[in-house]
């Protein structure tokens, strides 16, 4: 399983972790490399195990999922985090996405759809259930981002379109024949000009405004 997607499970309910492991272990291209019962343990194991994708609950004792997401981002960890939770309130959804979650799905998701979500997030895509995307877009539209499209250069629009397509900086650099450092600069400028917090918001903004790669 050298090419399998390495997954770390972070959830305080053992029965949930067991259920997820049981299902995921029958997937030919997914390997569960570890389990954690809270955010702090999850962050530590992510450093040790170097997973590709972390399935993260939000409400956990001790360090919750949002704080764990922030810690992983501060550590510049390469893992993509897919939030799997039963909480649907905007006050829970928005902080998780702002903290760096690459996707947000609910625990009642169909098992096959969850496997597909893991593959999608691993491939670099932003994955949100419709009502979650709607909540984030409502937040974005209440800000000043929508009125600043004209401030983007043509190259920044190209980069933004590729972000919306789920491309990582390395892939964008290759597609546009640029250095990764230059792409990072463009991404930073896009976020600043549109008053957005991260790539997830940028991708949603681009889709909302018809910009694609």
């Amino acid at each position: 399983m050298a090419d399998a997607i390495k997954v770390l499970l972070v959830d305080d309910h053992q029965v949930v972790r067991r259920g997820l492991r049981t299902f995921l272990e029958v997937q030919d291209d997914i390997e569960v490399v570890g389990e954690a019962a809270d955010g702090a343990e999850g962050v530590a194991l992510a450093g040790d195990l170097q997973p590709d994708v972390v399935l993260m609950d939000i409400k956990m004792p001790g360090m919750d999922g949002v704080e764990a997401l922030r810690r992983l981002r501060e550590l510049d960890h390469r893992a993509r985090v897919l939030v799997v939770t039963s909480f649907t309130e905007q006050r829970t959804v928005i902080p998780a996405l702002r903290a760096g979650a690459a996707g947000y799905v609910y625990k009642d998701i169909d098992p096959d759809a969850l496997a597909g979500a893991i593959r999608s997030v691993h491939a670099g895509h932003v994955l949100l259930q419709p009502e979650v995307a709607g909540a984030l877009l409502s937040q974005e539209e209440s800000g000043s981002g929508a009125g600043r499209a004209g401030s983007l250069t043509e190259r920044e629009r190209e980069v933004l379109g590729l972000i919306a397509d789920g491309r990582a900086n390395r892939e964008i650099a290759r597609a546009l024949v640029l250095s990764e450092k230059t792409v990072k600069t463009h991404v930073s400028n896009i976020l600043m000009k549109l008053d957005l917090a991260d790539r997830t918001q940028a991708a949603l903004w681009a889709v909302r405004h018809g910009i694609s790669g």
Side-chain angles (χ1 to χ4, degrees):
M1 298 182 68
D3 296 327
I5 302 170
K6 296 188 293 183
V7 174
L8 173 64
L9 308 177
V10 184
D11 194 296
D12 60 316
H13 293 101
Q14 184 177 7
V15 67
V16 173
R17 299 198 307 273
R18 184 177 300 162
L20 288 170
R21 177 184 281 275
T22 298
F23 169 71
L24 294 176
E25 284 184 338
V26 304
Q27 305 297 312
D28 292 336
D29 59 341
I30 296 175
E31 178 187 5
V32 177
V33 295
E35 300 179 22
D38 60 40
E41 185 182 6
V43 172
L45 283 179
D48 293 339
L49 301 174
Q50 294 297 305
D52 300 306
V53 176
V54 178
L55 298 190
M56 181 85 72
D57 193 12
I58 290 295
K59 297 295 185 181
M60 295 181 287
M63 183 187 294
D64 66 12
V66 173
E67 182 59 28
L69 276 159
R70 294 190 183 111
R71 296 286 181 89
L72 288 172
R73 187 164 65 178
E74 288 170 0
L75 294 170
D76 199 23
H77 198 282
R78 68 183 183 87
R80 304 269 288 170
V81 178
L82 177 63
V83 171
V84 184
T85 184
S86 56
F87 291 89
T88 62
E89 300 94 339
Q90 284 195 31
R91 60 186 176 84
T92 302
V93 173
I94 301 302
L97 295 175
R98 290 193 185 282
Y104 196 111
V105 297
Y106 301 135
K107 285 183 177 177
D108 62 357
I109 187 173
D110 178 81
D112 289 330
L114 177 60
I118 291 170
R119 296 181 186 109
S120 180
V121 165
H122 178 249
H125 300 292
V126 174
L127 187 91
L128 304 175
Q129 295 194 183
E131 58 269 35
V132 175
L136 189 59
L137 283 169
S138 295
Q139 285 262 323
E140 177 258 307
E141 287 179 342
S142 68
S144 55
R148 298 187 176 183
S151 66
L152 297 179
T153 66
E154 187 59 35
R155 179 64 85 187
E156 287 165 354
R157 290 179 69 88
E158 291 176 331
V159 171
L160 179 58
L162 291 170
I163 291 174
D165 289 345
R167 305 286 191 91
N169 284 352
R170 180 173 299 178
E171 295 173 306
I172 295 173
R174 190 180 303 120
L176 299 180
V177 195
L178 300 170
S179 70
E180 279 193 67
K181 183 176 181 181
T182 298
V183 172
K184 288 180 180 178
T185 299
H186 284 314
V187 173
S188 295
N189 288 340
I190 289 166
L191 297 180
M192 178 185 67
K193 288 180 178 182
L194 298 181
D195 193 24
L196 302 174
D198 52 38
R199 294 172 73 98
T200 300
Q201 286 194 6
L204 286 167
W205 191 97
V207 170
R208 180 72 170 180
H209 296 279
I211 298 175
S212 62

